[in-house]
Amino acid sequence: MASFEDYDEFGNYIGADLDSDDEDEIPQEQYGHQPETAPLEGFDDEVPRQEVEEETLMEVDVPTHNAVILHEDKQYYPSASEVYGPDVETIVQEEDAQPLSEPIVAPVKVRKWTVEEKDMPETRFDKGFLLNMTGFPEMIRNVAVVGHLHHGKTALMDMLVYETHKLTWDADKPMRYTDTHVLSREREISIKSSPISLILSTTAGKSHLVHFIDTPGHVNFVDEVASAIRLVDGILLVVDVVEGLMVGTESILRYAIQEGVKITLVVNKLDRLILELRIKPTDAYYKIKHTIEEINTFISAIDPDPEL
């Protein structure tokens, strides 16, 4: 028997060698012979040998699915003859006939990005008169049409084009005359600034050559607006009467006051007061007045000069 002195402080045995752990084999005869069970009544103890042979003959060869299959004998996909039938001839192309310089899916090539008229548009004034007006700088005005997104800048330019050109008005399909870029017409938004020269007359019947620049209203294209403001004598600020002063309008006003250009306010989309808001004429008057006062208040907050 091992004592406590045979173990160290960690519980490891450090005493003398122990005897072998071989247990004495107990002979199987000690347990005795188990008695054989007696056969039940009505059943014979011995099965006829003939019946055993018949059972062995009735065994069916069942295919074993766990058999080892070589790699070259494996079939992951059905063959062409199994899919299309033995009567169909299948041809497999092992090498690519398409060169590497050509893409698999060819991109859509649009070589022409601008929309142009085939012939010169018919105007209500003589084109020679327009060319002669370029020789009189005092009769020339440069104006930029600016405003927030979807406030009607391009539609205003279309109205001026209809007044000076012999075109047919289609209320269901906007013309978008100054949107000469393909993407501008597809997305119905101005992307680049577009100039156009028109001859407009005053109430006294005096004609002037006006160079208009239709600018985009999206905030991502504010650089187009900034460059256009630096080129012109004044701006036409188009404001939606329902939406009023927007973020894009505020940035345009700041830059226009900084450059010192003249500002002309155009309150647009007055029909929305009747068709959408369905308000009374008195309320429509106060709505228009509120929009104008809102813009004047913003301008006075930037520069309180009363001459503005």
Side-chain angles (χ1 to χ4, degrees), residues 13-30:
Y13 181 75
I14 57 175
D17 297 336
L18 297 176
D19 297 336
S20 61
D21 296 335
D22 298 338
E23 297 181 355
D24 297 335
E25 295 182 358
I26 302 174
Q28 195 173 4
E29 292 118 359
Q30 292 182 3

Side-chain angles (χ1 to χ4, degrees), residues 60-245:
V60 181
D61 295 335
V62 180
T64 57
H65 298 284
N66 297 329
V68 178
I69 302 175
L70 298 178
H71 177 71
E72 57 269 13
D73 296 336
K74 289 182 179 180
Q75 185 178 2
Y76 297 98
Y77 303 100
S79 60
S81 60
E82 295 176 0
V83 175
Y84 303 106
D87 300 334
V88 179
E89 182 183 1
T90 57
I91 301 175
V92 180
Q93 184 176 357
E94 297 181 354
E95 296 182 0
D96 294 336
Q98 187 175 5
L100 296 177
S101 58
E102 297 182 4
I104 298 177
V105 180
V108 179
K109 294 182 179 180
V110 182
R111 300 184 181 274
K112 192 174 182 180
W113 294 98
T114 57
V115 180
E116 299 177 354
E117 291 182 331
K118 295 182 179 179
D119 300 326
M120 290 295 292
E122 188 177 1
T123 59
R124 300 183 186 277
F125 52 84
D126 189 13
K127 295 183 176 63
F129 179 66
L130 186 146
L131 293 176
N132 293 331
M133 289 284 290
T134 57
F136 301 92
E138 64 276 4
M139 306 298 294
I140 299 175
R141 301 290 185 269
N142 300 318
V143 180
V145 183
V146 297
H148 191 66
L149 180 66
H150 295 319
H151 276 203
K153 299 179 297 299
T154 306
L156 176 62
M157 293 301 303
D158 289 344
M159 296 295 296
L160 296 175
V161 169
Y162 278 116
E163 289 293 327
T164 55
H165 292 69
K166 296 180 181 180
L167 300 173
T168 305
W169 172 265
D170 188 1
D172 297 331
K173 184 179 180 181
M175 183 173 58
R176 306 185 71 88
Y177 197 83
T178 54
D179 285 344
T180 57
H181 202 276
V182 174
L183 294 178
S184 298
R185 291 184 172 270
E186 290 179 356
R187 305 189 182 189
E188 296 182 355
I189 180 176
S190 299
I191 297 176
K192 304 289 287 185
S193 296
S194 180
I196 186 172
S197 298
L198 303 174
I199 291 182
L200 301 176
S201 60
T202 61
T203 55
K206 192 174 184 179
S207 299
H208 288 79
L209 176 60
V210 185
H211 300 300
F212 287 100
I213 301 178
D214 184 20
T215 60
H218 200 278
V219 293
N220 290 347
F221 310 121
V222 69
D223 55 336
E224 296 280 339
V225 182
S227 59
I229 291 177
R230 300 193 68 177
L231 296 174
V232 298
D233 306 320
I235 63 173
L236 278 178
L237 181 62
V238 183
V239 178
D240 191 339
V241 67
V242 176
E243 297 181 0
L245 185 65

Side-chain angles (χ1 to χ4, degrees), residues 272-284:
R272 294 185 63 186
L273 299 175
I274 305 171
L275 301 177
E276 295 182 12
L277 300 183
R278 298 180 181 275
I279 58 179
K280 298 179 181 178
T282 306
D283 297 334

Side-chain angles (χ1 to χ4, degrees), residues 240-287:
D240 191 339
V241 67
V242 176
E243 297 181 0
L245 185 65
M246 301 295 289
V247 178
T249 311
E250 293 178 358
S251 61
I252 291 170
L253 284 173
R254 289 193 187 95
Y255 197 79
I257 294 173
Q258 180 183 354
E259 294 295 328
V261 298
K262 299 296 182 180
I263 303 173
T264 302
L265 177 62
V266 178
V267 182
N268 198 17
K269 297 189 178 182
L270 297 179
D271 55 340
R272 294 185 63 186
L273 299 175
I274 305 171
L275 301 177
E276 295 182 12
L277 300 183
R278 298 180 181 275
I279 58 179
K280 298 179 181 178
T282 306
D283 297 334
Y285 166 76
Y286 283 111
K287 176 62 177 175

